[in-house]
Amino acid sequence: MNTKEFIKIMDSGAEVVAQSEVHLYMTYLSNEAMKITSELNNAYHTPEEIGNLIEKLTGKPFPDGTYMFPPFYTDCGKNLKLGKNVFINAGCQFQDQGGISIGDNTLVGPKTVIATLNHHQNPEKRANLIPKPVKIGSKVWIGANVTILPGVTIGNGAIVAAGAVVNKDVKANTIVGGVPAKLIKHIETENNNG
């Protein structure tokens, strides 16, 4: 198995059976990610050095204008897609095996957790994993200490209030908050302000 095959399987949403070839490759990628994030998180790095380490982690070019405040944690990295001018604040944990995409000009607050894996509900299969992607649009603002659960899509221009647990899709240009996150209000934009 290689990384391209692994990503294709994870993006399909197929159940990953514990100790299968896919699961063992996931463990291999996790160990690689821990090595890179340990280097990222345990010394000062210039913005250029941070970009180089994230490129090594993701296997993709670090987008123009994107910036990160370490520490940053992930147990994969290879299924993370970042847009341009994204800001990721300190202490975030991205579980990206199932796929995380973040659109241009999005702000991610400190200590945000994004999860893309669920364990099987059947106790006899509890170690099996079910991947579901998280898709975050452009110009989104995610507050501090937010948790985003597998399968969630957050629309362009949305705001997720600090401390929210997002377990359902968030419509574009809305503000959500709470546990679980619920609609607080619609955002007035130049396009809908009349």
Side-chain angles (χ1 to χ4, degrees):
M1 171 156 297
N2 61 41
T3 302
K4 188 175 181 180
E5 292 168 336
F6 171 79
I7 298 299
K8 185 176 181 181
I9 291 166
M10 298 306 286
D11 287 350
S12 77
E15 182 177 338
V16 176
V17 176
Q19 300 305 312
S20 66
E21 182 183 12
V22 177
H23 191 248
L24 294 175
Y25 195 80
M26 182 185 296
T27 302
Y28 163 77
L29 289 177
S30 293
N31 284 307
E32 184 178 275
M34 285 188 285
K35 182 178 178 184
I36 297 166
T37 56
S38 179
E39 183 180 351
L40 174 69
N41 296 334
N42 289 306
Y44 170 78
H45 297 285
T46 65
E48 294 78 21
E49 291 169 336
I50 291 169
N52 290 336
L53 286 165
I54 297 302
E55 285 185 3
K56 188 175 174 183
L57 178 69
T58 64
K60 301 173 189 74
F62 197 58
D64 291 340
T66 293
Y67 194 69
M68 174 185 292
F69 284 168
F72 173 75
Y73 305 95
T74 182
D75 48 6
C76 184
K78 300 298 189 236
N79 210 2
L80 174 60
K81 300 167 194 82
L82 299 173
K84 294 177 183 175
N85 302 311
V86 169
F87 174 65
I88 300 171
N89 214 324
C92 291
Q93 169 72 52
F94 290 5
Q95 182 197 54
D96 65 285
Q97 289 93 336
I100 296 173
S101 61
I102 300 176
D104 296 344
N105 304 301
T106 286
L107 309 173
V108 181
K111 298 184 181 175
T112 292
V113 174
I114 303 176
T116 65
L117 296 175
N118 275 318
H119 286 279
H120 204 289
Q121 291 183 1
N122 180 341
E124 302 306 316
K125 298 181 178 183
R126 187 61 42 88
N128 292 2
L129 298 164
I130 301 161
K132 291 184 180 177
V134 169
K135 299 174 184 174
I136 300 171
S138 297
K139 298 180 182 175
V140 172
W141 175 19
I142 298 170
N145 291 299
V146 166
T147 298
I148 302 170
L149 298 178
V152 166
T153 296
I154 298 176
N156 294 337
I159 297 172
V160 180
V165 175
V166 186
N167 64 350
K168 293 183 179 158
D169 290 352
V170 176
K171 291 184 179 179
N173 298 313
T174 60
I175 301 174
V176 299
V179 180
K182 295 190 180 341
L183 178 67
I184 294 173
K185 67 181 269 186
H186 294 273
I187 297 170
E188 293 293 327
T189 66
E190 290 178 16
N191 293 338
N192 68 7
N193 203 9

